[in-house]
Amino acid sequence: MVLKLALGIVEYLGTMENELRRLPSVDRVISEERIRQLREIYPHSLVVDLVRQRLEEDRLAITHGSTCPSLDEIVDSICSRLQTLAQSSLRPVINASGVILHTNLGRAPLSREATTAMELVAAGYCNLEFDLDSGARGSRNVHIEQLLCQLTGAEAALIVNNNASAVLLTLTALAKRKEVIVSRGQAVEIGGGFRIPDVMRQSGAKLVEVGTTNCTYIYDYEQAISPRTAALLRVHASNFRVEGFTHSVTLEEMVALGDKHGLPVFDDLGSGCFLDTTAFGLTPEPMVQQSIALGVGLASFSGDKLVGGPQAGVIVGKKLFVDKLKRHPLARALRIDKIRLAGLVATLVHYLKGEALEKIPVWRMISMPLDDVERRARLWAQALGDLAQVIEGETMIGGGSLPGSTLSTRLVAIGEKGGQRNLAQPLAQRLRHNEPAVIGRISGDVLLLDPRSVLPEENDVVLRALSNAVAGLKQ
Ligand SMILES: *Cc1c(COP(=O)(O)O)cnc(C)c1O
């Protein structure tokens, strides 16, 4: 018995030695034609490194019982590793998911004017912090402050990296070691792990939650006011809706209470909307200019949600407070870069000119007539032959705005009819592997594609992707 086991081990070690001996040397791999070609593009040391790494992994795998891979397999993997390294994995996709502001897909697509402005400042130098009149140092904020004040009616404005930064900066600069009163129903998580109470703790402000999850009254705020109170905070419940027996306090009531006690209201608007969403059959999204008109101390919002610009955090409000934020050291750490600043200015100019609906992609999508959506859905469905049908559906705004409010749309549905039940997943995968990838949404066994979240300019690309995907399936 013992002898048999020992013989077994000896035999095993013998095979392993054999396999290790078959493993090619570094020189042998490097002399392969395909690797020689790589050495014409990449530095010799990089190629040798990758070869060494791969052979080391093979050696380890063999000692764990694997067999030796062929020379071809080894060369293949080195070529594909170099390709992956040299090619950005970040690439454009077509968003047919029917969620207009999809955070995982990069939120707002930009207008042509915005991307042109970004390209211009990206490729060269610009007067980012340089006053062309005096030749002295300037401030990057001057390029956007007046525009924002004009659009919102605010006294002053400041741009930072994103809205999470705006909330952090506001609370750090104005409420550190003091108390900020917020409704329990607004101490929320807005997705991606961003929890309002956590940010507040980072700022050093003490969060005083008042009311209950579904009901908060103005006297709840009033009872919580103490000499340590720095502000009243409103957070727009951007991704959920409480239904049934609810009561919340209006911004007017909060501002009036704040005035009575000499306390400012900070309004985290989330999306930050300049246009009236009810004109498109949506629920009303709070507008920035309304908050300012009601007299909040500061309001903050994202640049890349309903504003439709690049990632940014916009803070508007009373000069007294904005000035304090500008002077705070954290403002330097959270500042925006020149490229996104240029894109945001160009986006805001669309509102100034009254051309937002025609120029800003997210607003073009929101305002797209249902007939146009339907026509495009039929075109897409045709490309899929008898696999698809056009059905009624809903487009979501997403990105933490208009919770529960949707737009009527027409969807291309694949796998609705019996007999095609298993098509949704393989087709969705084929579309994801298209160049560019086309992203739909899966509901049950059905793949849904929404033309509303796809710009008309991208129609041909989608049609080609659909034909390719179907052709691939039939093979
Ligand atoms: C989206 C959102 C934020 C965070 O904004 P970012 O620009 O993503 O940092 C903060 N507060 C609310 C209410 C939001 O909806």
Side-chain angles (χ1 to χ4, degrees):
M1 172 71 194
V2 173
L3 186 67
K4 215 170 164 187
L5 189 65
L7 280 175
I9 292 172
V10 169
E11 193 181 329
Y12 172 72
L13 288 177
T15 336
M16 194 179 86
E17 293 264 306
N18 267 340
E19 291 299 306
L20 281 176
R21 262 197 294 277
R22 286 180 49 214
L23 199 62
S25 68
V26 173
D27 286 342
R28 175 75 190 81
V29 179
I30 285 179
S31 64
E32 275 294 296
E33 180 50 28
R34 281 193 292 158
I35 300 284
R36 268 225 290 271
Q37 282 169 11
L38 289 179
R39 281 161 57 200
E40 282 170 19
I41 308 170
Y42 300 100
H44 179 72
S45 58
L46 172 65
V47 178
V48 173
D49 256 5
L50 286 178
V51 172
R52 284 223 169 88
Q53 278 169 25
R54 166 70 209 217
L55 291 177
E56 199 41 55
E57 286 163 23
D58 287 333
R59 196 163 292 125
L60 202 68
I62 292 171
T63 58
H64 284 93
S66 302
T67 51
C68 179
S70 71
L71 186 59
D72 246 9
E73 280 175 90
I74 295 173
V75 171
D76 270 351
S77 88
I78 289 162
C79 290
S80 84
R81 276 181 203 192
L82 251 181
Q83 216 166 35
T84 311
L85 273 177
Q87 181 189 54
S88 172
S89 62
L90 182 63
R91 61 188 68 148
V93 306
I94 305 255
N95 173 17
S97 72
V99 181
I100 292 179
L101 294 166
H102 200 305
T103 297
N104 301 147
L105 301 182
R107 290 199 187 151
L110 303 181
S111 74
R112 204 167 36 77
E113 287 78 0
T115 54
T116 306
M118 292 167 92
E119 229 180 291
L120 274 175
V121 300
Y125 297 102
C126 62
N127 62 335
L128 181 64
E129 292 188 349
F130 184 77
D131 184 341
L132 291 174
D133 279 334
S134 65
R137 189 192 164 146
S139 143
R140 67 183 64 206
N141 208 48
V142 300
H143 304 292
I144 199 162
E145 187 164 21
Q146 275 187 357
L147 186 53
L148 275 167
C149 292
Q150 189 61 46
L151 287 172
T152 64
E155 293 172 9
L158 176 65
I159 303 294
V160 288
N161 179 55
N162 57 8
N163 190 29
S165 307
V167 174
L168 178 65
L169 175 62
T170 300
L171 296 177
T172 308
L174 301 172
K176 193 172 181 157
R177 285 190 285 275
K178 298 200 192 114
E179 294 177 356
V180 173
I181 305 174
V182 65
S183 160
R184 190 156 274 125
Q186 295 174 4
V188 297
E189 173 169 328
I190 56 154
F194 180 84
R195 288 186 171 169
I196 294 295
D198 292 341
V199 175
M200 299 198 53
R201 262 192 288 284
Q202 287 300 316
S203 73
K206 182 165 181 269
L207 184 65
V208 178
E209 287 180 37
V210 298
T212 59
T213 306
N214 57 333
C215 289
T216 304
Y217 301 92
I218 193 69
Y219 57 75
D220 292 321
Y221 287 89
E222 184 143 37
Q223 279 170 2
I225 291 176
S226 81
R228 293 176 302 281
T229 308
L232 311 177
L233 178 70
R234 178 178 83 154
V235 182
H236 178 41
S238 50
N239 54 3
F240 71 103
R241 210 164 44 170
V242 185
E243 288 187 34
F245 179 59
T246 65
H247 187 272
S248 58
V249 174
T250 63
L251 198 58
E252 287 99 314
E253 290 175 283
M254 287 180 72
V255 172
L257 179 68
D259 284 348
K260 188 170 142 195
H261 294 270
L263 294 169
V265 172
F266 299 153
D267 192 13
D268 175 7
L269 282 163
S271 198
C273 189
F274 292 118
L275 303 176
D276 180 5
T277 48
T278 59
F280 309 98
L282 294 162
T283 52
E285 172 76 8
M287 287 192 278
V288 185
Q289 48 287 35
Q290 289 170 337
S291 293
I292 296 298
L294 287 173
V296 300
L298 291 175
S300 71
F301 52 96
S302 302
D304 54 353
K305 291 183 181 173
L306 277 175
V307 173
Q311 180 189 306
V314 185
I315 305 168
V316 289
K318 304 221 162 104
K319 189 168 183 316
L320 164 76
F321 300 120
V322 175
D323 282 349
K324 279 193 183 151
L325 301 192
K326 286 179 182 168
R327 284 194 301 267
H328 196 278
L330 204 50
R332 171 64 177 76
L334 302 176
R335 76 182 182 187
I336 195 173
D337 67 285
K338 61 176 180 177
I339 303 172
R340 288 184 291 139
L341 183 61
L344 189 59
V345 170
T347 306
L348 293 176
V349 167
H350 292 314
Y351 292 97
L352 195 73
K353 291 184 174 169
E355 59 181 24
L357 293 185
E358 298 88 59
K359 297 278 191 171
I360 299 177
V362 298
W363 286 100
R364 287 175 61 197
M365 292 167 180
I366 291 171
S367 61
M368 188 179 293
L370 192 55
D371 282 350
D372 291 358
V373 181
E374 170 139 13
R375 194 157 0 93
R376 292 171 61 213
R378 298 218 170 277
L379 217 61
W380 291 13
Q382 261 171 28
L384 292 165
D386 54 3
L387 299 178
Q389 58 187 134
V390 175
I391 61 169
E392 293 183 4
E394 308 292 326
T395 306
M396 282 156 281
I397 305 299
S401 43
L402 303 154
S405 178
T406 55
L407 288 162
S408 253
T409 195
R410 293 291 181 266
L411 301 168
V412 176
I414 300 118
E416 267 263 298
K417 289 181 277 186
Q420 299 165 0
R421 291 238 159 250
N422 299 322
L423 261 187
Q425 290 290 359
L427 195 64
Q429 182 174 14
R430 291 202 153 273
L431 290 172
R432 283 201 306 274
H433 287 140
N434 189 66
E435 197 60 58
V438 176
I439 314 291
R441 69 174 191 260
I442 300 247
S443 166
D445 291 328
V446 185
L447 172 63
L448 300 171
L449 302 173
D450 187 346
R452 191 186 280 284
S453 58
V454 177
L455 289 170
E457 300 86 284
E458 296 172 321
N459 239 2
D460 289 345
V461 182
V462 174
L463 287 174
R464 227 171 303 134
L466 293 177
S467 318
N468 287 344
V470 173
L473 274 185
K474 283 180 178 157
Q475 272 169 14

